[in-house]
Amino acid sequence: MIFSTLGRYFFKRYISTAFWFLLGVSAIIFLADFSETSRRLSGLNGYSLYGALAMTALRVPQILQQAIPTLSLFIGMTVLIALNRRYELVVTRAAGISVWQFVAPFIVGSFLLGLFTLFVVNPIGAWGQRESISLETTWRQASNKSKSSKFVPWIRQLSGDEDVIIGAKTYRESGTELLDVVVFHFDKDDVIIMRQDAKTAKLEDGYWLLNDVLENRPGEIPTRLETAQVKTNLRREYLQESLAQPETVAFLGLSRKIEIGKSFGISTKALETQFHSLLSLPLLLVAMTMIAATVSLKFSRFAQSRSMILGGIVSGFVLYVVSVLVKAFGSSGAIPPFVAVWIPVVVATALGATILLHQEDG
């Protein structure tokens, strides 16, 4: 059926509808996010109209990726209802083609949409998210704002006989460059022997390079230095893994991030949850298409929209709530990431198949 003339026609209808849905939703996301970005950041010194447009464009793929599971539900319903109202499904049924045969092209289309999201939308979205965060950080640094969208935990390191604690308001380059830095030096007796305030701190090979430094020692006049070095045994990879956000890592790089994180003893639950969430996406879209078929196959020339739209809205809302909850449980370690992500997919698939079997095969 998939490779027949009718199957190719249904498949083209699905792909065409998906394209226009993605295009329209991307435009809505762009307008809404641009408005929110302008509201939040317009007061910063580095803000510009073209910069805000660029930041919004960078963020669109990441936001669109989150909406695609719900969109696949509406894409499936839209295609099937359109075919129903033009009597095309009626004729297909009259020709003796079962529901499983003519739904197969839509299932294949949704699976390919999931692969497209996984290997195209996700890498672009992860890169765009990193760039937009870096751009916002630059604007905030230029404005010398005390508030920031990112907070770096205090980092404690032992180097020789010195105990050093480093803190910062924001960071760039995956945590290897800190902004608005304060460094406290302690002796063996845990007494502060020096405080350094710096504009930036960049992790080099074996030391932190501080720029525009103000040094304060007990009983001495503060000293201003252009640069200073603080020894460290921290590795660049450790900071990159400990401060990495799952949304900024592309699917193909998640396995390596998880492996490196575990080697450093860092919790990787959030990264594992993101990995399984992306891996299960194509099957989740297939499940959503099957659920769409359960509310769209019954023929009605004019009075079908109300119940269909209501069912689609409810299903989309439930999907959103469940996906957010399971990702939160998986990321926190309350539930194993594999179980947290795959159970809703299996349940949704089984539910769609069961309802279709009941409706079509009794």
Side-chain angles (χ1 to χ4, degrees):
M1 174 63 188
I2 298 176
F3 300 105
S4 65
T5 302
L6 184 61
R8 291 196 300 270
Y9 171 71
F10 284 168
F11 179 77
K12 289 178 182 178
R13 289 290 299 271
Y14 182 91
I15 295 300
S16 175
T17 304
F19 172 78
W20 289 111
F21 258 89
L22 294 178
L23 185 62
V25 171
S26 296
I28 294 173
I29 291 173
F30 184 89
L31 293 174
D33 192 67
F34 175 73
S35 176
E36 176 62 16
T37 299
S38 299
R39 184 192 66 81
R40 286 191 308 112
L41 306 177
S42 59
L44 302 181
N45 292 338
Y47 174 87
S48 67
L49 176 61
Y50 293 111
L53 290 172
M55 177 181 288
T56 303
L58 290 170
R59 286 167 50 85
V60 167
Q62 181 69 28
I63 301 173
L64 178 64
Q65 175 186 312
Q66 300 173 15
I68 281 179
T70 304
L71 284 180
S72 68
L73 185 69
F74 287 99
I75 292 169
M77 289 189 296
T78 301
V79 174
L80 290 169
I81 287 177
L83 294 174
N84 240 339
R85 289 191 170 183
R86 296 174 61 178
Y87 295 100
E88 290 171 298
L89 289 188
V90 176
V91 174
T92 302
R93 289 172 182 269
I97 299 175
S98 71
V99 63
W100 302 105
Q101 289 177 301
F102 67 74
V103 168
F106 306 118
I107 290 177
V108 172
S110 62
F111 187 82
L112 292 178
L113 176 61
L115 294 180
F116 174 77
T117 304
L118 200 59
F119 294 109
V120 178
V121 178
N122 173 257
I124 295 175
W127 172 81
Q129 186 74 359
R130 291 194 301 270
E131 293 299 316
S132 65
I133 290 174
S134 178
L135 183 59
E136 180 178 344
T137 301
T138 302
W139 288 355
R140 292 188 180 278
Q141 182 190 14
S143 300
N144 295 319
K145 296 289 185 180
S146 60
K147 293 183 179 180
S148 174
S149 59
K150 299 171 74 70
F151 174 76
V152 178
W154 290 90
I155 301 172
R156 185 170 185 172
Q157 62 178 42
L158 295 174
S159 180
D161 295 332
E162 265 195 4
D163 187 359
V164 179
I165 296 179
I166 304 173
K169 292 180 180 177
T170 59
Y171 66 86
R172 292 187 300 201
E173 303 297 331
S174 301
T176 59
E177 183 178 1
L178 309 180
L179 309 178
D180 296 327
V181 185
V182 58
V183 183
F184 293 99
H185 298 256
F186 297 84
D187 61 13
K188 296 180 181 179
D189 300 321
D190 293 331
V191 176
I192 297 178
I193 57 176
M194 181 173 61
R195 167 176 171 163
Q196 294 174 306
D197 294 89
K199 186 176 182 180
T200 64
K202 188 172 181 61
L203 182 61
E204 303 290 350
D205 187 14
Y207 63 92
W208 288 97
L209 178 61
L210 309 182
N211 295 292
D212 192 8
V213 187
L214 179 63
E215 287 189 354
N216 286 276
R217 299 176 184 270
E220 298 182 12
I221 299 175
T223 305
R224 175 71 66 176
L225 302 174
E226 184 176 346
T227 61
Q229 294 184 6
V230 177
K231 292 182 180 180
T232 182
N233 52 12
L234 290 176
R235 294 177 57 187
R236 182 181 299 267
E237 293 84 356
Y238 175 84
L239 286 177
Q240 290 176 337
E241 300 308 318
S242 63
L243 298 177
Q245 295 182 351
E247 295 80 10
T248 63
V249 183
F251 172 72
L252 296 177
L254 277 170
S255 296
R256 181 176 176 276
K257 284 282 185 181
I258 293 170
E259 182 180 351
I260 295 176
K262 287 181 177 180
S263 69
F264 284 118
I266 302 170
S267 175
T268 59
K269 297 298 183 182
L271 292 172
E272 291 179 49
T273 302
Q274 179 74 355
F275 175 78
H276 287 291
S277 178
L278 292 172
L279 186 63
S280 66
L281 184 60
L283 295 181
L284 179 60
L285 300 194
V286 169
M288 291 300 100
T289 300
M290 295 177 65
I291 292 176
T294 64
V295 299
S296 308
L297 290 180
K298 184 178 179 181
F299 175 74
S300 178
R301 186 71 174 88
F302 298 107
Q304 188 179 30
S305 297
R306 183 177 301 174
S307 60
M308 179 277 302
I309 292 175
L310 179 60
I313 291 174
V314 172
S315 300
F317 177 75
V318 171
L319 169 67
Y320 175 77
V321 172
V322 171
S323 64
V324 170
L325 284 176
V326 297
K327 287 192 72 173
F329 285 133
S331 299
S332 66
I335 301 176
F338 179 87
V339 175
V341 172
W342 283 97
I343 282 184
V345 176
V346 173
V347 170
T349 305
L351 179 63
T354 301
I355 295 176
L356 279 178
L357 283 170
H358 176 73
Q359 289 179 345
E360 302 297 325
D361 301 330

